[in-house]
Amino acid sequence: MLPYPRDSNYQNRQLPKLTGPNYRTWRLRTTLLLEYEELWDVVCPAKAPAAEEEDADALLPSDPLPLTPPPSSPLPEEPLATKDAQAQMIQNRRNIRAHSIIMQLCAPSAFHYIRSCDSASECWETLKRVYGPRLSQLPTSKLPDEEFLSVEADA
């Protein structure tokens, strides 16, 4: 069972906002939400799933392609520059969505650190830099169950 219905209004799910002490739980839940919304590669491009590499290999033909296209093959409908511009526009929209999710899931005290960030990945790295070092100061035992159950009980 998925934690969030696709295209749902995640604000209505009452996800906890980042306050600082809840960084561990917030990071886990936000990562899962961004992965579910297929936006994680925008936030952490270096940690994108390996499936993209497998997809690229699957596109390679097993037989070598002829050097020249057959005379009956139509020319591409759109110039390459237009396709690149469309791909960039889609990537920009995805970044805006991820950026918005991260910002909306921050309490004012955490939002203060990321309000001038220009991208989702910059927000993520800033929050990790601010709250991540504190993880070593937190006890390594399990977090209280009520922190995990508070959202589920309200749903």
Side-chain angles (χ1 to χ4, degrees), residues 31-49:
T31 300
L32 290 172
L33 175 61
L34 291 167
E35 286 175 344
Y36 181 74
E37 293 292 333
E38 298 177 358
L39 297 171
W40 183 245
D41 63 312
V42 174
V43 176
C44 291
K47 296 180 183 178

Side-chain angles (χ1 to χ4, degrees), residues 45-106:
K47 296 180 183 178
E52 291 177 9
E53 295 173 12
E54 294 170 8
D55 291 343
D57 291 339
L59 295 175
L60 296 175
S62 56
D63 298 327
L65 293 173
L67 294 176
T68 57
S72 63
S73 66
L75 293 174
E77 294 177 14
E78 300 179 34
L80 185 58
T82 304
K83 288 184 179 182
D84 288 344
Q86 287 175 345
Q88 184 61 41
M89 188 170 57
I90 290 169
Q91 192 66 10
N92 287 343
R93 283 187 200 147
R94 294 179 71 233
N95 179 59
I96 290 168
R97 283 181 56 216
H99 193 178
S100 174
I101 288 171
I102 293 169
M103 288 188 135
Q104 290 179 35
L105 291 177
C106 286

